Amino acid sequence: MNQQLWNQLDDLLLKLKKLDYALNVMQWDAETGAPHSGMKARSESQGYLSSLSYQLMGDASVKSLLNDLEKDLNENEPLNTAKYRKFKRAYDAMTCIPENEYVDFVKLTSESTVIWEQAKHENDFNKFAPYLEKMIEMLRRFAVYRGGQKGSLYNIFLEDYEMGMTVEKYDHFFDALRAGVVPLVQEISEKCKKNKIDFLKVNYDLKKQGVVAEDLLNRIGFDLNRGKLAESEHPFTLTLDPSDVRLTTHYYEDNLLSSIFSSIHEGGHGIYEQNCDPERTGLYLAEGASSGIHESQSRLFENGFGRHPEFWKSYFPILVKLFPNELSHVTEEDFIKGVNHVESSFIRVEADELTYSLHVMLRYEIERDLIEGNIQVKDLPDLWNAKMKSYLGIEPPTDTLGVLQDTHWACGLFGYFPTYALGNAYAAQILHKMETEIDVEKQLSELNFVPMKQWLTDKIHCYGASKTPEELMVIATDEPLNPAYYVSYLKDKFRKIYG
Ligand code: ZN
């Protein structure tokens, strides 16, 4: 091994990491209360720091360094291989595309985001359509630049978020979901019509909601001494370093469950980041392995643990003490059913645990067919509505509540959506394995998250991004992704609650 070469790579990665640190602080500041008046100054600084990153990576010496490193790869040095693989992917994504086309793309995404917002507001898909058409055309070209001639062009984008995933694997995964979950939604949502859920819509004091959010983060094992919770429009997790992980939630006066579950969800992401181990992997790899694995951790905490009836049997009385006027007349059973209420609805981000992945499946199918050139942008509203009808039994009355609801396509994010559903499936498979080693129900009924957090740290978190998603699943569960666990998890859980 040529140590000097690897030291050169480490130097470069450290510099990039420092620039990222500054950019992340700026983003955190922008989204958690910085005054609007400072926007121009901030975005100029952000632009300058981003261009420094671009220059560092684009330098001619980096190309030759990567060539030399490739020759020095050695299966006895798996960390070097992982580091090289991760950096090379980012490098190729940036440098394979001619600079002028890349600049055009950045311009297009910022314009199309503004137009999308107007189109959504005015329920006018035709306004957004030309931008989306241009976006698809560019992305198809970029996929070819990046080597996507063989098989599906969409594979290039799928790999950006989940290494190893392909159209073939996702098709197989969603086939299993369609067959198992679509009929289950019909069965369970029929039973949910009897749920008494008025308590979900009354007002809850915002300060007390903040107390609950921090209490829950403490209990599940997010270390508030090495992190922070703030409020933003849309909840997110941002890592400055494993020693400083930032979370946000959003408090709505008339929706207590929203802040509770977004805090637990982001807490799951945050616990993952806090327990990556830079001593073991080096700083560059001390972060989540992929979008899907990341989402598995947040969904496991949010749904697997956080919506579990055993957890609420113990935590509901604590909540009643804090909100006696709002909750003392609600029974434990009604509360648990409320937390696990299933009802087909139009908006993905508000969907319940059972219907959520069907919203994602619909988006996956549309993205795949757009990138592969099998459907036209102008046909999207009709296609969207037909799929909603077939998977969820409802049809949005407007495009605002349908095809225009998400910002992802306007921002040029293709290939990201399916990782949301993948995360749910990984989570169910991980939970299944964990339950063979830990009595999870008992621990939840004692509000004790320590054994589960430790298990996840040992099997997943400590490896950071030094393993591929598939390697991690094999380490944690002894097998690669198997969607059967997710389908049977949903069936068992909801049939038990609504039996
Ligand atoms: Zn998430």
Side-chain angles (χ1 to χ4, degrees):
M1 184 179 72
N2 185 339
Q3 189 60 48
Q4 209 192 339
L5 283 178
W6 292 98
N7 290 346
Q8 276 179 43
L9 177 66
D10 285 342
D11 275 354
L12 173 66
L13 295 177
L14 209 61
K15 283 181 193 155
L16 290 167
K17 199 94 190 168
K18 285 175 178 163
L19 284 168
D20 264 353
Y21 186 101
L23 283 163
N24 281 337
V25 174
M26 289 177 179
Q27 193 203 331
W28 171 263
D29 185 52
E31 297 201 38
T32 58
H36 198 70
S37 57
M39 201 173 78
K40 189 165 174 282
R42 186 170 54 245
S43 69
E44 278 171 11
S45 296
Q46 283 170 322
Y48 176 65
L49 291 182
S50 304
S51 73
L52 289 184
S53 264
Y54 194 94
Q55 280 168 24
L56 274 175
M57 265 173 100
D59 192 274
S61 64
V62 176
K63 191 174 183 183
S64 67
L65 175 63
L66 281 169
N67 284 338
D68 294 343
L69 288 170
E70 192 176 358
K71 289 179 211 131
D72 201 49
L73 288 174
N74 172 347
E75 60 184 26
N76 297 321
E77 300 287 343
L79 279 180
N80 280 349
T81 307
K83 203 158 40 179
Y84 171 83
R85 190 177 54 201
K86 185 170 158 66
F87 180 67
K88 177 77 163 58
R89 190 159 187 88
Y91 177 84
D92 285 347
M94 201 187 79
T95 54
C96 281
I97 297 161
E99 198 178 335
N100 62 331
E101 290 191 44
Y102 186 78
V103 171
D104 284 350
F105 182 71
V106 173
K107 263 194 219 147
L108 177 67
T109 53
S110 78
E111 274 171 30
S112 81
T113 313
V114 174
I115 298 294
W116 161 77
E117 230 173 314
Q118 290 170 3
K120 180 179 169 182
H121 186 69
E122 294 160 16
N123 186 36
D124 184 0
F125 180 77
N126 289 334
K127 192 169 195 172
F128 177 53
Y131 290 83
L132 187 56
E133 269 161 15
K134 191 99 191 280
M135 183 83 74
I136 304 294
E137 195 188 298
M138 279 186 150
L139 286 171
R140 282 168 54 83
R141 214 166 48 232
F142 289 1
V144 173
Y145 290 145
R146 293 176 60 190
Q149 297 98 333
K150 293 178 247 122
S152 170
L153 292 182
Y154 188 36
N155 283 340
I156 294 285
F157 304 113
L158 292 176
E159 280 250 19
D160 281 343
Y161 302 98
E162 201 68 13
M163 195 190 296
M165 283 307 283
T166 59
V167 167
E168 199 184 351
K169 287 185 189 172
Y170 269 124
D171 280 352
H172 171 74
F173 167 68
F174 283 114
D175 284 347
L177 244 59
R178 198 179 301 104
V181 181
V182 172
L184 189 63
V185 166
Q186 287 165 1
E187 175 191 326
I188 302 296
S189 53
E190 196 51 42
K191 295 192 169 164
C192 284
K193 286 183 180 157
K194 287 192 234 119
N195 284 354
K196 300 189 199 96
I197 49 170
D198 289 348
F199 70 90
L200 293 178
K201 289 158 198 144
V202 302
N203 286 353
Y204 293 83
D205 181 74
L206 293 175
K207 269 218 177 79
K208 288 192 205 168
Q209 289 197 38
V211 172
V212 174
E214 294 222 344
D215 179 54
L216 285 167
L217 287 178
N218 261 322
R219 286 177 191 274
I220 66 174
F222 180 78
D223 185 351
L224 282 159
N225 294 317
R226 297 192 300 136
K228 187 179 166 62
L229 175 70
E231 189 175 7
S232 65
E233 187 55 34
H234 301 287
F236 64 90
T237 298
L238 191 146
T239 305
L240 298 180
D241 184 85
S243 64
D244 187 353
V245 178
R246 311 290 178 92
L247 314 178
T248 70
T249 187
H250 189 96
Y251 302 106
Y252 298 93
E253 196 159 26
D254 62 351
N255 192 344
L256 172 67
L257 294 190
S258 173
S259 68
I260 284 182
F261 288 108
S262 69
S263 304
I264 302 179
H265 179 97
E266 300 308 327
H269 282 303
I271 288 169
Y272 186 8
E273 292 284 317
Q274 283 187 329
N275 292 288
C276 289
D277 184 359
E279 296 281 317
R280 181 177 196 137
T281 62
L283 193 56
Y284 182 64
L285 296 173
E287 60 181 33
S290 70
S291 304
I293 296 287
H294 233 302
E295 199 62 10
S296 77
Q297 301 306 292
S298 56
R299 293 289 175 178
L300 181 55
F301 276 90
E302 177 193 354
N303 293 328
F305 304 149
R307 291 183 200 268
H308 199 294
E310 290 305 314
F311 170 69
W312 283 106
K313 280 178 193 168
S314 298
Y315 200 75
F316 182 56
I318 296 174
L319 212 55
V320 176
K321 266 195 199 131
L322 206 60
F323 297 105
N325 296 335
E326 296 82 358
L327 290 174
S328 50
H329 64 285
V330 179
T331 67
E332 175 192 289
E333 193 193 334
D334 284 342
F335 189 85
I336 289 170
K337 285 186 172 171
V339 163
N340 290 289
H341 181 72
V342 176
E343 187 177 345
S344 290
S345 59
F346 302 124
I347 304 293
R348 175 185 59 85
V349 293
E350 292 165 9
D352 55 74
E353 182 181 4
L354 185 54
T355 55
Y356 186 86
S357 291
L358 300 183
H359 287 266
V360 175
M361 178 168 79
L362 170 159
R363 286 156 176 77
Y364 163 76
E365 292 171 351
I366 290 179
E367 280 190 2
R368 176 197 62 199
D369 294 347
L370 276 174
I371 299 286
E372 291 185 357
N374 296 330
I375 55 173
Q376 303 290 317
V377 166
K378 67 175 171 47
D379 298 326
L380 286 195
D382 288 343
L383 270 169
W384 183 283
N385 294 352
K387 284 180 192 285
M388 280 295 285
K389 182 94 190 143
S390 128
Y391 302 152
L392 288 159
I394 52 173
E395 225 174 302
T398 64
D399 291 333
T400 304
L401 292 171
V403 66
L404 286 172
Q405 66 183 271
D406 296 303
T407 177
H408 298 57
W409 294 341
C411 302
L413 288 176
F414 281 73
Y416 187 41
F417 272 130
T419 66
Y420 291 139
L422 199 59
N424 285 328
Y426 286 153
Q429 186 170 331
I430 290 166
L431 181 59
H432 182 269
K433 178 67 180 178
M434 186 191 282
E435 282 174 332
T436 66
E437 296 172 28
I438 298 172
D439 189 344
V440 174
E441 286 200 357
K442 181 168 172 286
Q443 301 302 335
L444 288 174
S445 73
E446 293 168 5
L447 302 178
N448 181 17
F449 287 79
V450 174
M452 287 88 88
K453 192 193 109 181
Q454 192 57 50
W455 193 95
L456 293 168
T457 297
D458 295 344
K459 311 252 176 184
I460 295 173
H461 304 169
C462 72
Y463 295 106
S466 68
K467 307 275 182 201
T468 65
E470 186 163 299
E471 284 167 351
L472 282 174
M473 288 307 284
V474 173
I475 291 169
T477 72
D478 299 329
E479 59 178 312
L481 171 72
N482 175 352
Y485 290 106
Y486 180 42
V487 175
S488 62
Y489 159 83
L490 290 172
K491 282 184 181 162
D492 292 350
K493 172 175 181 173
F494 285 95
R495 283 182 178 151
K496 198 169 169 197
I497 295 174
Y498 293 104

